[in-house]
Amino acid sequence: MRAIILGSSAGGGLPQWNCGCPHCNAARAGDGDVRARHQSSICVSADGERWVLINASPDVRSQLAATPELWPRGTRGSPVRAVALTNADIDHAAGLLVLREGGAPALYCTARVEEALTDGLRILPALEAYGAVHVRRVEPGVATPVRDRDGVPTGVSLRAFTVASKPPPYMAGRHRDDPRGDLAGDTVGFAITADGRDEALVYVPGVRDLDDALRAELCRARCALIDGTFFTDDELVVMGASLKTSRTMGHAPLTGPGGLVEFLDGVAGPRKVLIHINNSNPVLRDGGAARAELAAHGIDVSHDGMQLRW
Amino acid sequence: MRAIILGSSAGGGLPQWNCGCPHCNAARAGDGDVRARHQSSICVSADGERWVLINASPDVRSQLAATPELWPRGTRGSPVRAVALTNADIDHAAGLLVLREGGAPALYCTARVEEALTDGLRILPALEAYGAVHVRRVEPGVATPVRDRDGVPTGVSLRAFTVASKPPPYMAGRHRDDPRGDLAGDTVGFAITADGRDEALVYVPGVRDLDDALRAELCRARCALIDGTFFTDDELVVMGASLKTSRTMGHAPLTGPGGLVEFLDGVAGPRKVLIHINNSNPVLRDGGAARAELAAHGIDVSHDGMQLRW
């Protein structure tokens, strides 16, 4: 099994359109220490020919163009046979609008994500105007062989598991009476395997609550590719960019009590790699102190174009 | 007045995600004769400091990052003070979703475009979750000084005029009973001037019917930046990519009887530049025969990063 990191940044990307922080400025200027990054997305394949995109970022056109494995074969057609979504955030779903010519790939998502993209941001009804949209419901806990829109298997299986983060802002306020709360399927992680195999890449680009269920998922994995959005809980507040904390925005911070680094110290087994890095996060600087702190805990930071095998 | 071409391609861009035609393959490979192109968008400014984006393509993050004039000043903020839309096509409007952090710029569009982005593809309601959206209605025929979201003038004025093209596919079938038909405001062109001045850049990235009203607009302009989507009416049919003709898709072809080249021969005065070039169009090849044919009629083809002054 292979994965290619198509985007390692959080929503907004690096550089973010309206951000003049030192990291974004360095990325614009081509400073060697802070590399430009697309918004988070990966692609996975069992055979190197049929690929499944996990999340469709607004940068997807540029991401596919930068990745020879995903270039079309023939006059029209794409090795991207299906798309699976971990949530309905704009930075994970808006790219579906870009994949419309020739008809969208098969789409795998939870009922809650489908509802958000049908009633909240009407991406799925809009795509119907360009060709039938094949939505396949993902049920948390059930291993699902991923098939293309014609029903042909891709060789990739996904098993979703719910994680507590938050619904996308445009869906805030709905479902207030749902007793499942943040575990209702607004956000999931995926255990990604070859059909019929157990060795998994676990992909969790957004998670706030680091609980026993998540720990068990990660301990079973070969590789954990997980939410590294913010280094500290009050990072945006200190920078003056927002009044929101990391946890308010649905992400466990890396450091501090109850942070991801502490949590991952209790996870034995998998390779540990961060993704979905916000432009404010000091781990973006190659060779910096924050990166060294992670390395001391055996944690890597992904970059665009990085390849993983398991 | 200045304009920068941020994207010179039609929807789908060059390369398009699923297209393996010779032009897209050359753009991916970095072939010097066919340059990669973002999806169509321009920015205009009267003072070089305050910019108005005309259409927000899905590529907008990459387009802003490639354009130093549009880089943020200070920690957060953007020289992009407003966005104006010529229609509600996905390739002209989906980029609004990218411009959400910190609140969207002021938005100028017709009532029909606002309706499409509110009831069709619910981009505007979704953006409200990130901050107030300031939509200012554009009335065809009325010169409108463009102001930022706080009401501060940008120094740029827009006068919209309706053109016959077609509503976006996701709105097809609505308004069947509107006697104004294709001139109801689903698609407009803009005459762009400095506040209080007459010298105009006329921007028309999509038009099917080349009529007397359009000719009159172009004859008054200093520069005409106009729809060069397809070279021939049956270009996509011949290529095997679609059963649709250029006119069916809402665009006058460049060549043949009633085509744009013939029409522009009857327009004296302005500089003539093409934009919104589809990946199938032979004018994409620098130094090719199609480009020479245009040059013989005094017509240029725009490219990403091109600057216009008037």
Side-chain angles (χ1 to χ4, degrees), chain A residues 285-296:
Chain A
R285 194 168 291 280
D286 292 343
R291 197 74 72 81
E293 186 174 335
L294 293 180

Side-chain angles (χ1 to χ4, degrees), chain A residues 168-284:
Chain A
Y170 66 82
M171 292 294 279
R174 302 206 188 186
H175 308 300
R176 284 188 193 282
D177 53 347
D178 190 322
R180 295 172 300 172
D182 286 338
L183 292 171
D186 288 314
T187 311
V188 298
F190 285 120
I192 304 163
T193 64
D195 283 347
R197 301 292 296 268
D198 292 326
E199 302 82 4
L201 167 74
V202 166
Y203 184 48
V204 188
V207 57
R208 183 190 63 226
D209 295 355
L210 307 173
D211 54 22
D212 292 343
L214 178 64
R215 185 181 293 109
E217 289 289 350
L218 298 179
C219 286
R220 281 198 295 269
R222 287 289 177 95
C223 182
L225 187 55
I226 189 166
D227 180 356
T229 310
F230 296 108
F231 199 68
T232 53
D233 196 39
D234 62 353
E235 190 166 300
L236 290 181
V237 181
V238 169
M239 157 184 188
S242 173
L243 297 175
K244 292 179 180 169
T245 65
S246 174
R247 288 188 172 88
T248 303
M249 297 178 76
H251 302 280
L254 289 171
T255 60
L260 185 70
V261 171
E262 180 184 287
F263 180 76
L264 289 179
D265 280 342
V267 171
R271 180 174 177 192
K272 301 165 187 176
V273 184
L274 303 182
I275 193 167
H276 198 270
I277 317 292
N278 197 58
N279 54 57
S280 54
N281 191 326
V283 304
L284 290 170

